[in-house]
Amino acid sequence: MQNFTYYAPTKIVFGKETEKETGALIREQGCERALIVYGGGSVKRSGLQERISASLEDAGVSHVELGGVVPNPRLSKVREGIELCRREKADFLLSVGGGSVIDTAKAISYGVPYAGDVWDFFAGKAAAQAALPMGCVLTIAAAGSEMSNSSVITNEENGLKRGYRSDLSRQRFAVLNPELTYTLPPYQTANGAVDIMMHTMERYFTSECDLLLTDALGEGLMRTVMECARTLRDDPANYAARANMMWASSLSHNGLTGCGSVEDWASHQLQHELGGMFDCSHGAGLAAVWPSWARYVIDADYTLFARFAVKVMGVVPTADERETAERGVAAAECFFRSIGMPTNIRELGYELSEAQIAELAEKCTNGRTRTVGGLKKLDYGDIVKIYEGARG
């Protein structure tokens, strides 16, 4: 087990009608004017925005609004938010939505006190030294951004999708009401399930040994998400499944399931480039590339893949451990398909050309200047082969 520091300072307020506490939670931070960041009109149509606004008014917190955040959140919206925040002198950022909304607010929070361009952080040219305080009301169980220190933004000018991590972006509080996820379309719920699982899988498939407790936590979380995803496929208004899925979203990406490990993140890097090129859904993109990645790296530690097969996917072990490992990858594909997710890029809806594969691999390796992955280091040639295997 590696040395590690576990830091999860976000206050979680979980349960029914908890969005009514938002105003008091902001006042606890000593703030008086909030910029509310949200996505589409569903936040208003559902009455959620009205309930939150009433809560802020009751607590004496004024606010301005920034809507229009989209999946694979855009740098242009971040820049718009920075200017609005400065102009209106907002001292708190409140996200109402899912990971794209929270990631947008995180980037805004870095940009407001920064004299340069906010993309500097995502391009690796600068490190944030300050950020506005933030909180969120979560409406989608998926990205885990409500408890993570990371955000991912797409630069429309060059098609690059890049992430940045800083503990300055930790939410002061996260309001988690599972009922707010009832109206999600089945495809979006399934996307979220894959995203949650992959946040733990990127930490589970590690070169580090002797992670007995961390592995057990991860295995339990992944099994729970699979069970809840199947339940919600057939019964979308099942509160218990919604609640467990929402809590799993937070726990899967707050660092807990990676304590002591050497994290991988290759599948996320591969998907980020797909997202930058095609603007595809994040969870679906992960489901499309993970089986190819798994089969490509399986010999780096097929014992680990066999354990995943048995303890997570419920595969009956065979005398041949590698065969068990391969059955685990196939079982994961079956699960993805059972909830309407793709298992290759053709099923995702795209036909990759050789030129596109070369471009994706070039961007993933920053012009062939870096490798990705922790379980197996992957260079440009490796990544080309994984994309080729994922074409379908």
Side-chain angles (χ1 to χ4, degrees):
M1 179 181 285
Q2 296 282 316
N3 292 359
F4 67 89
T5 298
Y6 179 63
Y7 181 63
T10 303
K11 179 177 182 177
I12 299 296
V13 182
F14 191 101
K16 299 176 181 180
E17 299 187 351
T18 46
E19 66 273 14
K20 295 179 180 179
E21 301 178 36
T22 307
L25 290 165
I26 294 175
R27 289 297 291 183
E28 284 181 4
Q29 303 301 320
C31 298
E32 298 179 348
R33 186 162 176 78
L35 173 63
I36 300 179
V37 183
Y38 63 96
S42 62
V43 168
K44 290 183 177 292
R45 290 192 301 272
S46 67
L48 176 59
Q49 191 86 327
E50 184 178 355
R51 295 196 298 278
I52 291 173
S53 296
S55 172
L56 267 59
E57 183 177 351
D58 289 345
V61 177
S62 63
H63 73 274
V64 290
E65 298 179 3
L66 176 71
V69 175
V70 297
N72 297 313
R74 309 296 200 266
L75 178 60
S76 58
K77 182 60 67 173
V78 172
R79 288 170 172 160
E80 180 184 346
I82 292 169
E83 292 305 312
L84 178 61
C85 209
R86 289 171 175 168
R87 185 171 64 250
E88 295 291 337
K89 296 181 172 53
D91 59 3
F92 192 89
L93 284 161
L94 177 67
S95 306
V96 182
S100 295
V101 173
I102 301 171
D103 282 8
T104 297
K106 288 179 176 182
I108 293 170
S109 79
Y110 299 139
V112 171
Y114 181 57
D117 181 19
V118 68
W119 185 249
D120 290 347
F121 304 122
F122 296 86
K125 296 179 180 179
Q129 302 299 316
L132 287 187
M134 290 167 282
C136 65
V137 178
L138 190 66
T139 63
I140 304 171
S145 193
E146 67 274 9
M147 285 193 76
S148 81
N149 67 348
S150 63
S151 60
V152 179
I153 299 295
T154 297
N155 186 334
E156 313 98 299
E157 297 169 4
N158 53 23
L160 293 177
K161 185 175 180 179
R162 293 291 180 260
Y164 181 66
R165 293 187 178 190
S166 170
D167 283 333
L168 292 169
S169 72
R170 300 277 190 177
Q171 305 295 286
R172 301 295 179 88
F173 62 82
V175 173
L176 276 56
N177 176 359
E179 291 183 318
L180 300 180
T181 67
Y182 280 176
T183 58
L184 289 175
Y187 186 77
Q188 204 165 359
T189 297
N191 263 282
V194 174
D195 198 5
I196 296 166
M197 286 187 67
M198 285 299 304
H199 284 148
T200 288
M201 290 161 74
E202 298 279 28
R203 295 168 165 104
Y204 183 84
F205 289 101
T206 174
S207 57
E208 189 61 32
C209 301
D210 303 320
L211 298 172
L212 299 179
L213 178 57
T214 299
D215 283 348
L217 290 170
E219 289 158 1
L221 188 147
M222 288 185 279
R223 290 193 302 269
T224 297
V225 171
M226 291 171 65
E227 179 181 345
C228 291
R230 293 189 184 105
T231 297
L232 293 173
R233 175 194 60 197
D234 302 325
D235 182 12
N238 187 299
Y239 180 83
R242 290 285 181 190
N244 280 282
M245 185 82 84
M246 183 169 265
W247 188 219
S249 170
S250 299
L251 295 183
S252 189
H253 204 31
N254 73 351
L256 180 66
T257 61
C259 287
S261 75
V262 178
E263 300 178 6
D264 190 84
W265 297 105
S267 295
H268 266 73
Q269 297 293 328
L270 291 160
Q271 194 287 326
H272 284 172
E273 302 312 331
L274 282 177
M277 181 176 285
F278 297 114
D279 199 25
C280 57
S281 297
H282 183 55
L286 288 169
V289 299
W290 184 84
S292 180
W293 169 85
R295 292 189 171 99
Y296 191 80
V297 306
I298 197 167
D299 285 322
D301 189 350
Y302 60 77
T303 298
L304 173 58
F305 279 90
R307 187 169 75 235
F308 169 79
V310 174
K311 294 195 174 184
V312 178
M313 302 311 303
V315 171
V316 177
T318 67
D320 185 336
E321 197 170 42
R322 196 182 188 288
E323 180 185 354
T324 301
E326 291 173 346
R327 290 185 179 185
V329 177
E333 288 180 308
C334 288
F335 166 70
F336 292 154
R337 288 195 179 107
S338 76
I339 60 171
M341 288 286 99
T343 58
N344 58 58
I345 295 169
R346 181 172 288 118
E347 291 177 3
L348 185 62
Y350 308 101
E351 296 285 343
L352 279 185
S353 68
E354 296 297 328
Q356 287 173 321
I357 288 175
E359 181 182 345
L360 289 166
E362 191 79 16
K363 288 181 176 179
C364 194
T365 57
N366 289 349
R368 310 192 195 193
T369 62
R370 68 163 186 166
T371 59
V372 300
L375 181 61
K376 177 180 173 66
K377 296 293 184 182
L378 304 172
D379 61 18
Y380 172 86
D382 296 316
I383 291 167
V384 166
K385 291 176 183 176
I386 292 172
Y387 279 128
E388 287 175 342
R391 277 197 289 197

